[in-house]
PDB file of all heavy atoms in Angstrom:
ATOM      1  N   ARG A1077     102.318  91.058 110.935  1.00 97.00           N
ATOM      2  CA  ARG A1077     103.480  91.693 110.303  1.00 97.00           C
ATOM      3  C   ARG A1077     103.223  93.174 110.039  1.00 97.00           C
ATOM      4  O   ARG A1077     104.121  94.010 110.210  1.00 97.00           O
ATOM      5  CB  ARG A1077     103.846  90.960 109.020  1.00 97.00           C
ATOM      6  CG  ARG A1077     104.416  89.574 109.286  1.00 97.00           C
ATOM      7  CD  ARG A1077     104.658  88.788 108.011  1.00 97.00           C
ATOM      8  NE  ARG A1077     105.711  89.415 107.197  1.00 97.00           N
ATOM      9  CZ  ARG A1077     105.938  89.099 105.930  1.00 97.00           C
ATOM     10  NH1 ARG A1077     105.194  88.191 105.311  1.00 97.00           N
ATOM     11  NH2 ARG A1077     106.904  89.701 105.269  1.00 97.00           N
ATOM     12  N   MET A1078     102.013  93.521 109.615  1.00 97.00           N
ATOM     13  CA  MET A1078     101.681  94.924 109.374  1.00 97.00           C
ATOM     14  C   MET A1078     101.772  95.739 110.664  1.00 97.00           C
ATOM     15  O   MET A1078     102.224  96.883 110.642  1.00 97.00           O
ATOM     16  CB  MET A1078     100.284  95.058 108.770  1.00 97.00           C
ATOM     17  CG  MET A1078     100.217  94.735 107.303  1.00 97.00           C
ATOM     18  SD  MET A1078     101.153  95.862 106.251  1.00 97.00           S
ATOM     19  CE  MET A1078     100.067  97.275 106.224  1.00 97.00           C
ATOM     20  N   ALA A1079     101.354  95.142 111.778  1.00 97.00           N
ATOM     21  CA  ALA A1079     101.351  95.848 113.059  1.00 97.00           C
ATOM     22  C   ALA A1079     102.749  96.258 113.499  1.00 97.00           C
ATOM     23  O   ALA A1079     102.893  97.177 114.322  1.00 97.00           O
ATOM     24  CB  ALA A1079     100.680  94.980 114.126  1.00 97.00           C
ATOM     25  N   THR A1080     103.775  95.618 112.968  1.00 97.00           N
ATOM     26  CA  THR A1080     105.148  95.934 113.373  1.00 97.00           C
ATOM     27  C   THR A1080     105.965  96.576 112.248  1.00 97.00           C
ATOM     28  O   THR A1080     107.170  96.750 112.386  1.00 97.00           O
ATOM     29  CB  THR A1080     105.869  94.662 113.855  1.00 97.00           C
ATOM     30  OG1 THR A1080     105.919  93.713 112.785  1.00 97.00           O
ATOM     31  CG2 THR A1080     105.167  94.053 115.067  1.00 97.00           C
ATOM     32  N   THR A1081     105.312  96.948 111.152  1.00 97.00           N
ATOM     33  CA  THR A1081     106.022  97.532 110.009  1.00 97.00           C
ATOM     34  C   THR A1081     105.580  98.979 109.802  1.00 97.00           C
ATOM     35  O   THR A1081     104.408  99.238 109.534  1.00 97.00           O
ATOM     36  CB  THR A1081     105.734  96.726 108.721  1.00 97.00           C
ATOM     37  OG1 THR A1081     106.079  95.353 108.944  1.00 97.00           O
ATOM     38  CG2 THR A1081     106.527  97.265 107.549  1.00 97.00           C
ATOM     39  N   PRO A1082     106.520  99.920 109.909  1.00 96.00           N
ATOM     40  CA  PRO A1082     106.177 101.321 109.639  1.00 96.00           C
ATOM     41  C   PRO A1082     105.759 101.512 108.176  1.00 96.00           C
ATOM     42  O   PRO A1082     106.288 100.847 107.280  1.00 96.00           O
ATOM     43  CB  PRO A1082     107.475 102.082 109.934  1.00 96.00           C
ATOM     44  CG  PRO A1082     108.291 101.152 110.774  1.00 96.00           C
ATOM     45  CD  PRO A1082     107.906  99.768 110.353  1.00 96.00           C
ATOM     46  N   ALA A1083     104.833 102.431 107.939  1.00 92.00           N
ATOM     47  CA  ALA A1083     104.304 102.668 106.597  1.00 92.00           C
ATOM     48  C   ALA A1083     105.407 102.976 105.586  1.00 92.00           C
ATOM     49  O   ALA A1083     105.355 102.518 104.444  1.00 92.00           O
ATOM     50  CB  ALA A1083     103.275 103.799 106.627  1.00 92.00           C
ATOM     51  N   GLN A1084     106.419 103.735 105.995  1.00 91.00           N
ATOM     52  CA  GLN A1084     107.477 104.112 105.052  1.00 91.00           C
ATOM     53  C   GLN A1084     108.348 102.932 104.633  1.00 91.00           C
ATOM     54  O   GLN A1084     109.089 103.022 103.659  1.00 91.00           O
ATOM     55  CB  GLN A1084     108.339 105.264 105.585  1.00 91.00           C
ATOM     56  CG  GLN A1084     109.213 104.903 106.760  1.00 91.00           C
ATOM     57  CD  GLN A1084     108.546 105.104 108.111  1.00 91.00           C
ATOM     58  OE1 GLN A1084     107.333 105.250 108.200  1.00 91.00           O
ATOM     59  NE2 GLN A1084     109.334 105.102 109.163  1.00 91.00           N
ATOM     60  N   GLU A1085     108.240 101.803 105.323  1.00 94.00           N
ATOM     61  CA  GLU A1085     109.007 100.612 104.960  1.00 94.00           C
ATOM     62  C   GLU A1085     108.247  99.684 104.015  1.00 94.00           C
ATOM     63  O   GLU A1085     108.805  98.705 103.529  1.00 94.00           O
ATOM     64  CB  GLU A1085     109.422  99.840 106.214  1.00 94.00           C
ATOM     65  CG  GLU A1085     110.464 100.569 107.036  1.00 94.00           C
ATOM     66  CD  GLU A1085     110.895  99.789 108.270  1.00 94.00           C
ATOM     67  OE1 GLU A1085     110.654  98.564 108.336  1.00 94.00           O
ATOM     68  OE2 GLU A1085     111.468 100.428 109.179  1.00 94.00           O
ATOM     69  N   LEU A1086     106.978  99.981 103.754  1.00 95.00           N
ATOM     70  CA  LEU A1086     106.190  99.132 102.858  1.00 95.00           C
ATOM     71  C   LEU A1086     106.560  99.380 101.405  1.00 95.00           C
ATOM     72  O   LEU A1086     106.777 100.516 100.996  1.00 95.00           O
ATOM     73  CB  LEU A1086     104.701  99.402 103.042  1.00 95.00           C
ATOM     74  CG  LEU A1086     104.095  98.988 104.374  1.00 95.00           C
ATOM     75  CD1 LEU A1086     102.653  99.473 104.478  1.00 95.00           C
ATOM     76  CD2 LEU A1086     104.165  97.483 104.554  1.00 95.00           C
TER      77      LEU A1086
END
Side-chain angles (χ1 to χ4, degrees):
R1077 291 175 66 194
M1078 282 295 283
T1080 61
T1081 304
Q1084 69 271 15
E1085 290 181 18
L1086 292 173

